[in-house]
Amino acid sequence: MPKTIYLTTPLYYVNAAPHIGHSYTEVAADCLARYRRLKGEPVFLLTGTDEHGQKIAQAAEAAGEAPQAFADRVVSQFLGLWKTLHIAYDDFIRTTEARHIQAVQAILAKLHAEGSLTRAAYQGWYCTPDETFWTEAELGADALRGGRPICPACRRPLEPAKEEGWYLKLRAAQPWLKAFVKDHPDFVRPQSRHNEMSSLLEQPLPEYLCITRPKSRVSWGIEVPFSPDHVVYVWVDALLNYITVPGYPGDPGRFANLWPADVHFIGKDILRHHAVYWPILLHALGMSDEQMPRTIFAHGWWKIGEQKMSKSLGNIVDPSVVVGQLLKGQPHAADAYRYFLLREIPFGQDGTFSEEALMKRLESDLANDLGNLVNRACSMIERYSEGRIPPEAPVGCAVDDEPLRQAALGLAGAVEQAMDQVEFSTALEAVMRVVTQANQYVEAVAPWKLAKAQETARLHGVLHVLAEVIRIVAILLSPFMPSVADAMWRQLGCRGERRLADAARWGGLAPGQAIGPHPVLFPRESPGTTSIFPRSS
Ligand code: ME8
């Protein structure tokens, strides 16, 4: 049995409602999962929420609620948004679930029993929003000169902290990790992040990672089984989800089928946790090099102007407002939003979110190009072929179809190549290039003139070519825009499952097949007028 493709997203904190940044990682992971399923591979997509720690406890307190009740409320917003955005995950883990808590405690007990943990105290600085402890060595002398240092990751002020707790050796594992990263160019992607990790590993890591928090300071967490005065550090708790859900340590059979993760999708803000702490933790659990995650893909940031969009900066855009209000009136609003996220910026780079950019993509790529192609092709099949897929043109009657036919036939390969590199925008660009070419083909052959001249065989041949191109495009767009692909499929009168292999073949449509009703995919009437920046300054 082939190993299941195992893809993960971060577990998002439930201190506030999801924003565009969270939806970006989620849509990207869902898109790759759908693509691999389209290829016929077994896939397991895991997502969920990170619910413990000081940050959540403080947010709950500010809202006047108990942490669990507060988490339950925010989780329902995440679940609602994932449904709206067509996220087809296979499991959703909440770190407050018993299945996770028990497995985390078993893992901690194992590390303790094997002598991998040391009890000690040391002094440093704590970033509460990031839940990250920084040693003075990591901050450097310059940062400490001006009094209260700021967090190197998020640039917010740090609190002095002395941690008495349980520690995992970091520096002792550094030579192994350094060699591992060097030997595995795909371990961290894109290349710029790989370089960042390699240079980080040139400097000595802190000697230890404190993996517990004193209950006296943070009570909202998983109790450490052998040290009841402590809870598990929220980052260790959350990272472990990637192995607790696949069945570690209780279900070795299931674990062997899922682990290692094929891609951990994350944003670049949490690269250090994933590319340093996580492999060292797995290494401490006795996992071999072959059992390390295959790829940690750290994508870029969505910004508003020059600033990262973030809950604490208060400049967030709520995706449900974008989909429900700004794109109101669009039957495929969620898909238009998914398309924008994946097409607008190369995966891995930063980008700026703006209402204008979103509307431009909707109008030009989706309404004018894709929607127009599908609509005009279906309307002409209705008018000139009694609403049925016409037969192919007789040999010799269709020389000028060849460039479009070849471009459409080469598309699956181009998409496959891009998706193997997790380059969503390159894949979409390739598909949209063929859509543009098909529209140009319609203009050039002018089927309405063929109808007037009663060149029926040629006319039918042209419409057949267009229908085939649309079939291929529908298959290849389905990971990106699942509801649009379903609609295109129905409009062509197709019923069966879509499979990637069928996009590389010509002639998938049966002549005579009745097409379905074909409402416009992206209507041009004015969408909602609500601003999507309710909370920006
Ligand atoms: O870090 N642009 O959770 P979190 C793009 N609980 N992506 C963004 C973004 C932006 N402006 N802002 C957030 C945590 N993200 C931990 C993770 S995993 C074991 C624990 C996305 O709620 C991006 O994926 O702060 C980023 O890494 C993640 O949300 C952080 O979510």
Side-chain angles (χ1 to χ4, degrees):
M1 193 168 71
K3 179 193 157 311
T4 297
I5 304 292
Y6 178 35
L7 307 175
T8 70
T9 74
L11 296 199
Y12 310 105
Y13 287 127
V14 289
N15 60 333
H19 62 69
I20 283 185
H22 306 113
S23 71
Y24 184 47
T25 323
E26 200 70 19
V27 164
D30 178 66
C31 180
L32 190 65
R34 285 176 180 274
Y35 167 75
R36 303 296 293 249
R37 289 187 200 114
L38 194 67
K39 266 181 116 169
E41 293 171 321
V43 174
F44 190 86
L45 171 62
L46 176 65
T47 189
T49 42
D50 188 354
E51 304 189 10
H52 289 127
Q54 205 167 8
K55 191 175 5 202
I56 312 298
Q58 283 174 353
E61 200 181 332
E65 285 177 83
Q68 189 67 68
F70 176 79
D72 290 350
R73 196 163 52 73
V74 180
V75 164
S76 66
Q77 294 178 285
F78 276 91
L79 290 170
L81 181 63
W82 298 161
K83 190 159 186 249
T84 302
L85 296 181
H86 312 306
I87 308 299
Y89 52 77
D90 296 284
D91 202 349
F92 187 103
I93 178 76
R94 300 180 56 178
T95 54
T96 50
E97 285 176 60
R99 58 173 172 152
H100 175 72
I101 294 173
Q102 283 157 8
V104 168
Q105 289 180 324
I107 292 167
L108 269 270
K110 172 178 155 72
L111 287 170
H112 181 243
E114 291 170 354
S116 304
L117 304 177
T118 317
R119 193 181 172 118
Y122 83 107
Q123 200 131 5
W125 296 85
Y126 199 71
C127 177
T128 305
D130 276 354
E131 302 270 15
T132 302
F133 190 84
W134 296 89
T135 61
E136 304 212 329
E138 282 177 288
L139 294 172
D142 282 353
L144 294 163
R145 207 160 289 137
R148 200 167 155 199
I150 56 163
C151 171
C154 73
R155 323 295 309 162
R156 282 170 289 200
L158 297 168
E159 309 283 345
K162 187 168 181 226
E163 295 283 336
E164 151 84 1
W166 293 89
Y167 291 83
L168 179 73
K169 287 191 189 109
L170 283 186
R171 199 176 300 159
Q174 183 164 4
W176 163 76
L177 183 60
K178 206 171 143 179
F180 180 81
V181 170
K182 185 163 172 275
D183 294 345
H184 295 82
D186 284 342
F187 178 60
V188 176
R189 294 193 52 212
Q191 185 64 44
S192 55
R193 301 287 151 236
H194 195 277
N195 298 346
E196 186 183 317
M197 272 307 108
S198 303
S199 52
L200 187 135
L201 291 170
E202 288 302 321
Q203 306 303 319
L205 288 174
E207 195 152 357
Y208 294 105
L209 171 70
C210 184
I211 64 154
T212 61
R213 291 294 177 263
K215 255 195 196 164
S216 54
R217 185 160 63 81
V218 187
S219 61
W220 181 235
I222 299 179
E223 190 175 291
V224 177
F226 48 86
S227 186
D229 292 344
H230 289 97
V231 295
V232 179
Y233 171 38
V234 65
W235 260 104
V236 170
D237 166 355
L239 284 165
L240 287 173
N241 93 88
Y242 298 136
I243 56 172
T244 65
V245 174
Y248 189 88
D251 189 345
R254 176 175 152 87
F255 188 63
N257 177 42
L258 285 166
W259 191 255
D262 290 85
V263 185
H264 284 316
F265 282 96
I266 59 165
K268 63 181 180 180
D269 48 330
I270 53 176
L271 180 59
R272 198 168 62 118
H273 303 83
H274 282 78
V276 178
Y277 301 162
W278 182 224
I280 290 181
L281 198 52
L282 292 169
H283 191 63
L285 284 167
M287 297 212 193
S288 65
D289 285 12
E290 287 68 44
Q291 287 176 298
M292 291 298 136
R294 304 245 160 93
T295 293
I296 295 161
F297 202 113
H299 64 65
W301 283 340
W302 282 99
K303 300 190 200 170
I304 296 287
E306 283 310 304
Q307 275 186 318
K308 179 192 175 205
M309 189 185 301
S310 93
K311 292 176 262 200
S312 48
L313 291 172
N315 60 351
I316 63 154
V317 177
D318 178 348
S320 32
V321 175
V322 176
V323 171
Q325 295 180 31
L326 186 72
L327 297 174
K328 197 162 111 196
Q330 285 297 327
H332 303 289
D335 277 21
Y337 175 68
R338 287 172 66 109
Y339 176 84
F340 172 77
L341 292 181
L342 297 175
R343 172 68 189 87
E344 188 68 6
I345 49 176
F347 200 60
Q349 293 179 20
D350 291 348
T352 304
F353 188 87
S354 78
E355 208 166 310
E356 298 73 46
L358 171 72
M359 297 320 267
K360 197 160 163 243
R361 286 279 172 209
L362 171 65
E363 277 164 33
S364 67
D365 299 17
L366 298 180
N368 291 348
D369 290 350
L370 179 65
N372 186 30
L373 174 69
V374 176
N375 193 252
R376 71 209 299 207
C378 288
S379 304
M380 289 190 291
I381 293 172
E382 192 79 63
R383 192 170 323 138
Y384 304 132
S385 179
E386 297 170 351
R388 293 184 179 275
I389 302 290
E392 268 195 276
V395 181
C397 179
V399 267
D400 40 348
D401 300 345
E402 216 34 38
L404 178 59
R405 219 173 79 94
Q406 288 309 327
L409 272 174
L411 198 50
V415 167
E416 201 163 353
Q417 204 179 1
M419 292 301 274
D420 285 349
Q421 295 303 312
V422 202
E423 288 176 359
F424 302 109
S425 61
T426 311
L428 281 174
E429 224 178 316
V431 176
M432 296 311 286
R433 220 177 294 125
V434 170
V435 168
T436 304
Q437 194 177 339
N439 275 318
Q440 289 163 348
Y441 167 81
V442 174
E443 295 304 322
V445 296
W448 45 92
K449 287 190 188 153
L450 297 174
K452 220 175 203 170
Q454 297 191 341
E455 290 184 43
T456 310
R458 173 78 185 115
L459 171 64
H460 282 171
V462 167
L463 298 182
H464 185 96
V465 168
L466 287 174
E468 273 296 314
V469 170
I470 293 170
R471 180 187 65 83
I472 289 170
V473 166
I475 294 173
L476 296 174
L477 281 181
S478 52
F480 300 87
M481 296 196 284
S483 97
V484 168
D486 283 348
M488 289 167 71
W489 211 235
R490 281 193 305 273
Q491 296 195 5
L492 288 175
C494 296
R495 291 223 169 71
E497 209 186 319
R498 289 187 293 272
R499 294 178 316 170
L500 187 68
D502 294 335
R505 274 187 222 123
W506 196 256
L509 290 169
Q513 171 172 301
I515 64 167
H518 39 92
V520 172
L521 292 173
F522 299 99
R524 285 202 187 81
E525 67 245 28
S526 72
T529 50
T530 315
S531 170
I532 54 170
F533 298 102
R535 271 174 274 186
S536 67
S537 47

